[in-house]
Structure formats: structure tokens, C-alpha cells
Amino acid sequence: MEEMFDNLRADKYPLKEYNYIGRRGPRRIDGFQKASGNAVYTMDVQLPGMLHMRFLTSPYPHAAIKNMDTSKAESFPGVRAILRYDDPELPPIADLGGHVPSAEVVLPGIAHFQGEEVGAAVAADTEAVAEEALKLVEVEWEERPFVLDPEEALKPDAPLAHPELLPNGNHYNAGLLDVLELGDISQGFAEADKVIEFRSERRLHTWIGPERPCGVFRWNGDCPEVWVKQQRPHIAKRVISSWFGGVPMNKIKMHCLYQGASFGGWSQTPWNMAGHYCAAVLAKRTGRPVKWTFTRREDFYGGEMDEGVYYYKVGAKNDGTITAVQGRAVLANQIWPVFHFLKHLVENTRIPNIHGQLFVVKTNKGPTVPVRCEQNANAHSLTLIFDHVADAFGLDPIEVALKNDGADGHDMDWLNERKAERGFEVRDSLRECVEKGKAAIGWYNRWHPPGKKRLPNGRMHGLAFTWDHEWDDSAGSSEMAIRIERNDGTATILGMGSDVGVDAENSYCQIAADELGMRLDDVYYNPQADPGFFRMTPDSSTNMSVNGFAIRHAARILKRKILEAAASPRGKTQRGSFPPAFPDAGPEDLDIKDSVIYLKADPSKKMTMAEFVGPSGVAGPLVSHENLGVRSNFSVPLFAFGYHVQTGTYAPQHLRPRFCRQAHFMEVEVDTETGLIEVTRVVNVNDVGKVINRASCEGQQYGGSYMGVGRGRSEEVVYDPVTGIMLNGNLLDYKMATMLDVGPIDTLLVETGMGYGPYGVIGIGEDIATVMPALLGPAVYNALGIWIDDFPITPDKVLKALSKV
Amino acid sequence: MIKLTVNGQPYEVRVEPEWTLYYLIHDRLGLIGSKQFCDRGACGSCTVIMDGRPILSCMALAIECDGANIETVEGIARASHPLIESYARHHAMQCGYCTPGFIVAAKALLDKNPHPTEEQVKEALAGNLCRCGTYPQHSKAVLEAAEKLLGG
Ligand code: FES
Ligand code: FES
């Protein structure tokens, strides 16, 4: 287990042979369930006597409840209970989720954004009855001034968006990363041949999981039984255990069924367990299970953390070497203002002089948290800075990227030294990705000067490139176990996470099968059971790099145990012991392949796992045969667990430089008559270190592309500036990408082994959806020869830009 | 009181006037394969086949379905339609929430047009939204299922 914490270096313990890892085609364990409609999601749960709970929501962007009369609603037929914000049983604050214990108001009496759940929760026989009853709740509101625009919110005389939290102004960075500084900015500008300046904007976009936020709470005596739609069930359990004066963890029964996606989002806000709290109180009062749901619209409040304005000043030499970057950004509502907007320039460029000033402000919109990305603001900056420089100096953006590749202001030689020092192969990941991508999209013959290529169909043609590093690094930990079943010798993986769709469960099986020497069909994982082991759920770019280690440790320990057991007496009873399965052999003489244990020196001496454990399972714990004069075989339970703690680059000491790069290409056609942008081709090249589950990697690539294109081109949550009301909280008016919205997507994978995870893997889930949106800017620029740095780039912006020319 | 047939099973149910077909099928009959995503006719995840036509069950009132013949993903799966197998094989799903809606829409297409082109598949499925972005896999899965159905 010495490898356990050694994730600051190259993996020293790869396998010699991979049977399932990396291969195309292993079965997908959730495939049939999901295709056949049998997969059960929390939204599908129905229990005997179950009630339905809905919240009252604020009609104003900022308002306090002065008086509330719920009497009419209470007497509405079908209403079973109403919980009010002033209920004496509600604690003033409680832990309601988020990464670390939070202290939140369970059911507030003051709303800080329109649509916020406030004042009352109604439990009724059906959702429809609950909704009707909510209309009968009479509220006297005290309306308060509000602010929606981040730059407005920063002004000293701006209305206070959240005076209870921030009485002196809307600016709050909590001292974290407000200023990011590297080198000497004035010296950097002095060295430049040219200095450019530009401003960009990113409007609010949001998560939209297909399954609405929901949950079910039932009391079995004093034991809570809870169904959570949660990316991180371990957080739900921690939180529930802190309620009602303390609920012992071992009394909480969790169900984390299939998840209708997640993308971080809602799951991460420190309020996401409030529905459960209210449901718990009402379930107690009514003696019935209570299911709470948000409406589709309620899921729209909130969003991604890059809404705001960005100002950049960049100095570079004529050959594309960037000497200085100065930036200033005002971003809205970040729940944790811990991500800067210029950090990626530090992490993967050699730019020696950087100064970034970040202002995070509160506005009267919902909370923003990382959504299929933790670094949108950074990817946004990196793409725009590099492509603007390439343009200003008349250079190929790929050359500019390669010229500035590095880390912490150091060049590639320095980065290569770090690779060697940590035991990695010295390879140029960006160049490898770039070459593959260039060939795939035909960069050599299709790239052209901006605004210079009109297609036969009358549209303008654009081609663009961007790059970034791969991520694997949020702090995270995991514990997983494997047990060998009696009778048939199959392996069961134990661990609770949530299946959000990345097919992670199959990947764990692949690792376990390869490490144990078992057939993939003999390894199974049902993540929906709660065995008390909590694994990291695929989030924060941290799935395989954390869970991969945990499952691998468990498998390696378990294999050792199996071989030891095969070579030693198979258990003892009062009447004596049983002979070993492989007499005269030591564990080191044995191995397992295709679920068969065999003697290495003479593979004809073999026994299947089923034969090995079979007899010990016949009698179960009764061993009743012994009473009949026949002794049952018995063997030790074959069980092992592994765990892993991840230390990543969020650590202030900046422990691990990034080595793996990714390259992305986009081809567009812009209709100058209608302003419509068609994304006709996307090429993603990702260095994933090592492929574990090929289909899953590719799934993330095309999935990220669709989400990225949607974010870049059409996704925006629009608020009415006069009333502060959200105008498009539904899927007709909020435009996410459909099947016809992106042309062919090439999914290319590079395996340099330079990730810090097991076998050299690195995360793939988030970066594409993060990097893609800003790529639309350079693509449209290449088509039109005009920069539109206001995202999403909607047709009206295209037409407006064109009419200016 | 309405009568309808769902996946070959006759039902006689008393429905409230405001019930949607989705509510009837999912919440009352327990056929959870129909999923509610957008709740307003924009996403296709609640698609069922009614008298041979794919419809959005969140936009149909149950009361209007008297005498209708309804097919849901459960029926398609029970008949071992090759779409189920090919969807799983091609990983045409991630979280899977939207998947049954796609399969029902694809089944309706194949019933009408057993030999669709890739373009026709895309057109038939373009009304279905998938937040996970599984789109490119669908045409592969549908075309393969079509081939199987034709005995290929
Ligand atoms: S839920 Fe019916 S179309 Fe979206
Ligand atoms: S697979 Fe998740 S919404 Fe389609």
C-alpha cells in the first residue's frame, strides 16, 4: 500500500497486460436498464401513502415576508401539512449541504432572487394539489431594491443584494485569489513589441439536469430513509446526521438511484438539502413519506460561475511570445470565489508576467457553482487572449500556443525537467494533440486569413483552434471495497456514489477484473446500495484519478488474500482444518486468469474461483452438516477495501504541474443575412494519459462539445432588468443544443501516461464543455474578420457587428 | 372513465380532467420509462406511440386518449426490439434519463420507414433533447437496429 499517497509522481505500478482496460467494447452495466426504461430515478419513486411537497417561491428579486396567511391553503382539500418559515421546530440555521458543513437558513423569510424558495412548503396528496394550495397562501411582501448587473453591483452606491450577509457592499472575495500576481507586469509590457487591449463578456448560463431536483424522506421510527438526487450521497448522509439534535449515521438508510445527470450544479450549492429538511419535518408530522420536487423552472435559478465582464491588456513580441497579461474581471455570485480568471495562464503557459484583479460580487440572481467545469472563467480568458494575440500579430494561433506552452512562467525545458524528476516520460503533449487535430480538421489547407473565405452557399467560413490542460485535481477521497461472493466466486464492488452517466461503474469493474485476473462478467457493481463506503462521485474532474486508485488498491490486496487462502488450509472448525486448495504451494506460486486460479509452474493444476469458494457457501452460517456427521468446508471471507486521498493543484503549495494538454478545433459557417452560426465540425484531441473506458471518454468528448457549443452560441438565462424576473426558465426559451446543432465531432485520444492517476490517467469529463464556448469567438472572428467578444454569440450580435462595419 | 390499451394490455381508468397522459402512464400505471424532462413539449423524453404516431405524453390530456392504443418503451423492450440492444451496445446514453424517449421516437420511425437514411434518423430524433449530449451515437444505434430488423 505504499503507493497509496504517492500521487505526486508517475504511477510506478502499471499492469503488464491489460485485458479490459482501454479495450473497446466491454459491456455497459447500466445499458440495458437505461435503454429499456427500467432504470429507476428518484423522480420515479412512489411509496405507499407518499405525499408531495412544493415550495412557495418569491415573485420578487429581493423581498422580505412581512406577513403570511396560510389558513386558506391549510383547509384546501388534499393538503396534509404546511411548514412555515416561522415554525418553531425549524432551527435558525442547519447544515444543508455543499462541500464543507454549511450554516444555512432552512426555509428563509427573505428572498434574494426571484424564484427563491421562501416562506412555506406544502405537503399534499398530489403535486397538483400542492401547487393549487400554494396559490392560496397570502403573503404581504416588503419589496427591496435589487441589482442584477455585476458591474453595477460593484459601484459604491449600488443596492445591497444581500444585506444580511454583506451589509457594506456587494463585493466579496473572501480574500481568496482576488489578486493573482506573477513576475513584473510593467517590465513585461516594456519588453513587448505591441500591446493590445480588449473587453469580453459572458452572460449567465446554467446546468439543466434532465431530472428535476427532488428527493424523498421517510421515517422508519427514528431511522430516516432517504432517496436523494445527489451527486455526492456522502454529503447528504453527513448533513442528515447533523439534524434534529443528531441522527446516528448507522440509522440513516440512503438510496441514491440513477441520476438524471448532474454536472455539479445544484448538487453543490450549500442549500441543496433544504428540500430534504422540510420533507423530514413534514414526514414526521404526517407520519407519511414526503417527496419534494422542484418545478422545471426552479431548476433554472442558479448557474455557472463565469457571468461577468473581463478586461484584458496583453503585451507580446512579434514572434508571438507573450510577455505580459494584465486583467480585471467582475464576476457574479460565485458560491466559492476560489477560481481566478487568469489561473490557467499560470498553470500552463510560460508567460512570465501576469497580474489579474478579480472582483466577485453578489447580485439578485441564484447561486452560481461549477457546472461541468470548474474553470470556465479561466478557459474563457485563455482562449480569447491567445487568439487575440495570434490575430494582432498575424500569426497562426497554434504557433502562438506552442510558443507559450509551459507552466508557472517557465518554458518547456523547465516543464520537461519536472516530468523527468517525477518519473514521467518526457513527451510534448500539446504538440502531439495538435498534430493529430490539425490532420483531422485539415488545418493546413482550410485555415485562411479572417473574413476571407465565402463558401458557395453564400456563408462565411471560419476555422479556429484552442487548447488547455487536462484536469484531475480537485481534492477528493474515496473508499471502495470488493468482496468475493460465496458459492459462485463472483466479485462485488462495494461503494456508494452516484451514477450520473459517465459509465464510471463499468470502468471500476474493468480495473478490478484486470487486477484480480477475473472475467469482466464476474465483476459487478451496484452503486445504488449503501454499504457505508463512500466513493468520490465523478465530479470536479476527479473520478478515475481518485476512485481508480481506491479500486486498484482493493483489488491488489484482495488478490493477495485469495492466493494466500488458496495455498493455506481453508478454514478451521473445532474438529480440524481442511486441506489447502493448492497443497505444497505458496501464494507466490499461484496466479489468476479468467477467474481461474492456477499453479504457475503447471497451469493444468487449476481451480475456478467458483470451485474454490463454492463449498464454503453451501451451508452458509449454519454449518448444519457437521451435526449430520459431514463437515462443511469453510473459508475466510474474501474481502478487501482500498482508499485514496487526492492532493491536487488546488493545494496552495501548487504541488503538481500540469503535463497533459488538449487541443480543440471548430469549423463554422456564418450566414451574414440571418446572423446564424452553424458549427459544421468539431475536433477534440484529449490527452487522457491512459484510456480506461474508451466509449466513456468519447462520450465525454461529444457530450462536452454539444454543451460547449450551446453555451457559446445560445445558452443564456435572461432576466428582465426592470422587474428582476427570469424570462426564459424553460426549455423552449432557453436554447440548449439539439442533435442538428453540431456537425460531425471527431474524438481523438492521446495516451502519454502523464496523468497523476493510476496507470497515468487524467480526467476528461469537464474540460471540453469548458473550453468549447469561447472557441466560438475565434471561429466567428475567422469567418467574419470581426471580433464578437460577448457570449453567447447569438444571431442578433452577429448582425449588429456586421452592420457596424 | 376511459378505456385504453397500453402495450397490449387493456385498461379502464377513471381520470381527472387535468391529468396528462404522462401522469396517467408514469404515476398511475407505474410505467416509469416515460420520463418528464421539460414538462412542456420541448424535449421528447416523455414520448409514447399513440395509434402508430409518436406523441408527447406531457402535452396530451389523458381524457382525450379514450380508445387509444399506446406503446411505451416498456412494451418495446418486452418485445425484444433490437433498438434496446443496439442502444446499450453503442453507449447511446449517459445518464439515461432521455434515452427511453429517443428509443420510442426511433421505434416510431422504424415502424414507418424500416430503412431510414442517417439524415432521416437525425430528423426523426431532432426533437429529443439530451443534456448529456449523446447525440452522435443515436444514428449508429438506430441504423444498426434497422438492419437487424430487416434480417441483416
Ligand atoms: S417532458 Fe414532455 S416533451 Fe419534455
Ligand atoms: S443521457 Fe443524460 S440527458 Fe440524455
Side-chain angles (χ1 to χ4, degrees), chain A residues 9 55 101 106 109 124 146 152 350 520-521 538 583 647:
Chain A
R9 301 176 50 81
F55 282 104
V106 178
F146 66 93
E152 287 297 318
R350 54 178 292 189
L520 187 61
D521 282 346
T647 357

Side-chain angles (χ1 to χ4, degrees), chain A residues 26-28 30-32 34-41 43-44 46 52 126 128 206-212 258-261 263 296 372 499-503 506 693 695-696 699-700 702-704 706-707 715 730-734 736-740 745, chain B residues 18 22-23 26-28 30-43 73-74 77 83-85 87-100 102-103 119 121-123 125-140:
Chain A
R27 70 17 173 159
R28 181 175 172 136
D30 54 344
F32 181 80
K34 288 178 177 173
S36 62
N38 280 321
V40 183
Y41 298 76
M43 270 297 281
D44 300 321
Q46 298 198 48
H52 297 262
T126 67
T206 188
W207 45 73
I208 313 301
E211 183 185 15
R212 283 146 37 190
Y258 285 117
Q259 308 282 301
F263 313 121
R296 174 42 58 204
R372 203 173 192 170
D499 181 332
V500 292
V502 301
D503 198 19
N506 214 20
N693 184 333
S696 160
Q700 290 309 307
Y702 51 70
Y706 277 98
M707 193 180 269
E715 287 191 32
N730 64 73
L731 282 166
L732 286 171
D733 301 319
Y734 182 91
M736 53 179 262
T738 74
M739 188 173 278
L740 300 177
I745 299 166
Chain B
E18 73 278 10
Y22 165 80
Y23 178 74
H26 183 277
D27 285 38
R28 294 283 151 162
L31 296 166
I32 58 158
S34 307
K35 294 282 188 262
Q36 194 189 62
F37 175 178
C38 73
D39 197 14
R40 82 160 57 173
C43 77
V73 72
E74 283 90 349
L83 274 169
I84 305 292
E85 174 64 31
Y87 260 69
R89 236 170 59 74
H90 285 281
H91 293 240
M93 73 227 2
Q94 284 183 26
C95 78
Y97 197 81
C98 69
T99 315
F102 274 93
I103 288 185
E119 273 320 297
V121 173
K122 283 191 181 162
E123 222 164 85
L125 300 184
N128 288 63
L129 292 180
C130 173
R131 189 51 162 168
C132 302
T134 56
Y135 303 128
Q137 295 307 88
H138 291 270
S139 33
K140 290 182 201 162

Side-chain angles (χ1 to χ4, degrees), chain A residues 470-472 541-543 545 686-688 761-767:
Chain A
E470 284 280 11
W471 300 324
D472 72 331
S541 301
T542 315
N543 169 32
S545 52
N686 287 78
D687 179 2
V688 296
V761 305
I762 193 157
I764 183 166
E766 300 186 274
D767 39 33

Side-chain angles (χ1 to χ4, degrees), chain A residues 661-708:
Chain A
R661 298 285 190 262
Q662 54 172 339
H664 302 286
F665 299 80
M666 186 186 280
E667 191 174 38
V668 296
E669 293 181 7
V670 185
D671 188 330
T672 47
E673 293 295 306
T674 61
L676 201 78
I677 304 162
E678 280 223 47
V679 179
T680 50
R681 180 90 180 261
V682 167
V683 173
N684 294 305
V685 196
N686 287 78
D687 179 2
V688 296
K690 164 109 187 92
V691 176
I692 303 289
N693 184 333
R694 201 164 283 277
S696 160
C697 291
E698 292 165 352
Q700 290 309 307
Q701 289 180 303
Y702 51 70
S705 301
Y706 277 98
M707 193 180 269

Side-chain angles (χ1 to χ4, degrees), chain A residues 15-50:
Chain A
L15 280 169
K16 286 196 195 73
E17 218 177 87
Y18 296 96
N19 284 325
Y20 300 107
I21 291 175
R23 265 227 252 128
R24 187 177 292 285
R27 70 17 173 159
R28 181 175 172 136
I29 52 185
D30 54 344
F32 181 80
Q33 287 278 91
K34 288 178 177 173
S36 62
N38 280 321
V40 183
Y41 298 76
T42 312
M43 270 297 281
D44 300 321
V45 172
Q46 298 198 48
L47 301 172
M50 186 176 89

Side-chain angles (χ1 to χ4, degrees), chain B residues 40-84:
Chain B
R40 82 160 57 173
C43 77
S45 72
C46 64
T47 305
V48 299
I49 299 175
M50 179 152 106
D51 299 328
R53 276 191 322 119
I55 63 154
L56 303 171
S57 64
C58 74
M59 298 299 284
L61 285 175
I63 208 161
E64 291 171 341
C65 299
D66 193 17
N69 190 5
I70 310 268
E71 208 177 340
T72 72
V73 72
E74 283 90 349
I76 296 169
R78 203 167 317 128
S80 304
H81 195 286
L83 274 169
I84 305 292

Side-chain angles (χ1 to χ4, degrees), chain A residues 582-606:
Chain A
F582 290 87
D584 308 322
E588 60 291 346
D589 303 324
L590 303 171
D591 205 350
I592 312 173
K593 194 177 174 178
D594 294 333
S595 305
V596 177
I597 311 169
Y598 65 96
L599 196 61
K600 283 193 259 186
D602 178 5
S604 72
K605 299 231 164 54
K606 59 184 183 193

